[in-house]
Amino acid sequence: MAVDLHIHSTASDGTLTPEAIVKEAKRLGLAAIAIADHDELLGSEEAVARGEVLDLPVVPAVEISTDYEEVEVHILGYWIDPRDACLAERLRSIREGRVLRAQRIVDRLREVGIDRITLEDVLREAGGGSVGRPHVAAALVTAGVCRYPQEAFRRYLGKNAPAYVPRVRPSTEEAIAIVRQARGCPVLAHPGLVPGKPRIIEDMAAGGVEGVEAYHPKHQRGMVRSILRRAQALGLPVTGGSDSHGPGGTYPVAIGAGGAPDSCFEALLEWRKRRDS
Ligand code: AMP
Ligand code: ZN
Ligand code: FE
Ligand code: FE
């Protein structure tokens, strides 16, 4: 059996609802899943409830984009308490920053002559969830400015494109503390995708993460092996998942991809047992 502990839903920039994700995971025969939306808990909470109905273990989770020495590092939080008021408030303020940034992207687009989308169009694409560049891309496609989301990233929204606006992110340290205070397990997401930081796993372990995501579709086999070795040397459990954003987006990876074995879920169960003992 396999697990998928990193899935995005419509509550952030994924295209499948939490309900559809749980159904699909069940159909695939996955042993456990986690919806880890960007800075948002609603999808995860809904999935936990659906999982109870369909008898599929669902770990409550979140993925926080953080800043570590000017580099974007993602921190996953597992077993967080979705009803923790302090966590909810912190994430709400992070999401507010996302809306302000979406407005700045729309302004930039206007400066380069693209005046066919407004902030409201972008927020509509986000459907009340956590707003990201994929929603701006979708709005550009809907308005007929671009044919595909990919084209929107290439021409306007990507890192070196004219309407790129970086997000104001909390520090990694802050995100780890946010997860901790909500009784969650902070895990370093996809270290293989962090550029220019060869010691990111060791640095983050020193900074308080309690697990490392080893299995991910963008981690080549050699990368997975290297992460497993380093995590073991540090005594850290490993997790994994597809990082699926559902069909139709800019990153079409299926639920269940990434090859995370059951032991990833078992390690999280162990972690929780230790926490609660
Ligand atoms: P944000 O968190 O708003 O900066 O958006 C990040 C999301 O945009 C990622 O999860 C990707 O799905 C998507 N994305 C980022 N860069 C690109 C790119 N160059 N092409 C397509 N999609 C991208
Ligand atoms: Zn995303
Ligand atoms: Fe990520
Ligand atoms: Fe992700």
Side-chain angles (χ1 to χ4, degrees), residues 6 8 38 63 74 189-190 216 243:
H6 189 156
H8 293 273
H38 304 287
E63 181 176 31
H74 293 180
H190 42 68
H216 188 282
D243 210 351

Side-chain angles (χ1 to χ4, degrees), residues 9-14 37-43 91-92 94-96 98-99 102 122-132 135:
S9 80
T10 45
S12 68
D13 54 359
D37 275 315
H38 304 287
D39 312 320
E40 171 64 79
L41 300 171
L42 270 183
L91 296 180
R92 195 196 55 71
I94 293 173
R95 289 197 301 275
E96 217 167 71
R98 283 178 168 273
V99 175
V122 175
L123 297 182
R124 195 172 319 114
E125 297 288 348
S130 194
V131 189
H135 301 117

Side-chain angles (χ1 to χ4, degrees), residues 4 6-8 15-16 24 28 216-218 241-259:
D4 188 342
H6 189 156
I7 304 172
H8 293 273
T15 59
L16 294 177
E24 173 64 3
L28 291 167
H216 188 282
K218 289 190 177 170
S242 64
D243 210 351
S244 175
H245 283 64
T250 53
Y251 177 55
V253 166
I255 291 172

Side-chain angles (χ1 to χ4, degrees), residues 13 38 65 72 98 101 131-134 149-150 153-154 158-159 167 245 250-251:
D13 54 359
H38 304 287
S65 315
E72 182 162 346
R98 283 178 168 273
R101 179 241 207 165
V131 189
R133 281 179 293 160
Q150 296 281 16
F153 271 93
R154 188 170 43 77
K159 194 115 197 204
R167 219 145 65 65
H245 283 64
T250 53
Y251 177 55

